[in-house]
Amino acid sequence: MSDTIFHKIIRREIPADIVYEDEHLIAFRDIAPQAPVHVLFVPKTPIATLNDVQPSQAEVVGKLTVAAADYAKREGFAEDGYRVVINCNANAGQTVFQLHLHLLAGAPLGRFGTPK
Ligand code: AMP
C-alpha cells in the first residue's frame, strides 16, 4: 500500500478527527483549517493525484463529491453553500500525494485562483 500521512490515518496509525467513513473513503477534519468547516475526503484506493485517476476509477471521484455533499446536508450548511477543491501537483500546492477533496464551509469564502 502507498504510504502517505493519509494512509496512516486510514490504517489508524495516527489520530485524526474522523467525521465519516465507509468502505470506499474516509473524511476527517483538516489539521490546519482554512475555513470554519474544513474536512478532507480521501479515497481508500491509493491514487496519488487527480492526474492518476483512470477512466475506470471515475466513480472514486464521484463518491468523494457525493460524500461531501451528503456531509454538507447532514451538517446543515448545504443551502448556505460551500466549496470543494482538489489540488493537483505543485502549482496548486498539493502537499499530500494521496488524492483528496477539501470541503470548505461555515462562512462566506473569498475568491480563489489568483496567481501568486
Ligand atoms: P493539499 O495541499 O491539497 O495536499 O492538502 C493537504 C492538507 O492536508 C492540508 O490542508 C493539511 O493541513 C492537511 N493535513 C496534513 N496533515 C494532516 C493530518 N495529520 N490531519 C489532518 N489534516 C492534515
Side-chain angles (χ1 to χ4, degrees):
M1 191 178 187
S2 306
D3 215 18
T4 68
I5 199 155
F6 292 171
H7 292 97
K8 290 185 167 75
I9 289 172
I10 291 168
R11 297 197 302 264
R12 302 297 199 279
E13 291 171 8
I14 62 168
D17 188 354
I18 296 167
V19 299
Y20 177 75
E21 183 171 21
D22 63 26
E23 67 265 48
H24 303 292
L25 62 94
I26 191 166
F28 50 89
R29 292 189 197 283
D30 197 292
I31 203 166
Q34 302 298 307
V37 177
H38 188 171
V39 174
L40 302 173
F41 291 77
V42 183
K44 292 185 174 177
T45 306
I47 300 174
T49 80
L50 192 59
N51 288 340
D52 301 302
V53 177
Q54 302 304 305
S56 62
Q57 297 175 309
E59 204 176 46
V60 172
V61 181
K63 286 184 188 303
L64 295 182
T65 56
V66 170
D70 284 348
Y71 180 77
K73 292 171 196 166
R74 271 200 313 281
E75 293 296 310
F77 58 80
E79 293 306 317
D80 284 342
Y82 55 92
R83 179 174 295 151
V84 297
V85 174
I86 297 175
N87 292 321
C88 183
N89 281 338
N91 278 1
Q94 184 176 0
T95 57
V96 179
F97 288 86
Q98 166 66 2
L99 181 68
H100 53 281
L101 178 150
H102 296 253
L103 169 63
L104 301 150
L109 302 169
R111 297 307 295 173
F112 61 94
T114 310
K116 280 188 180 172

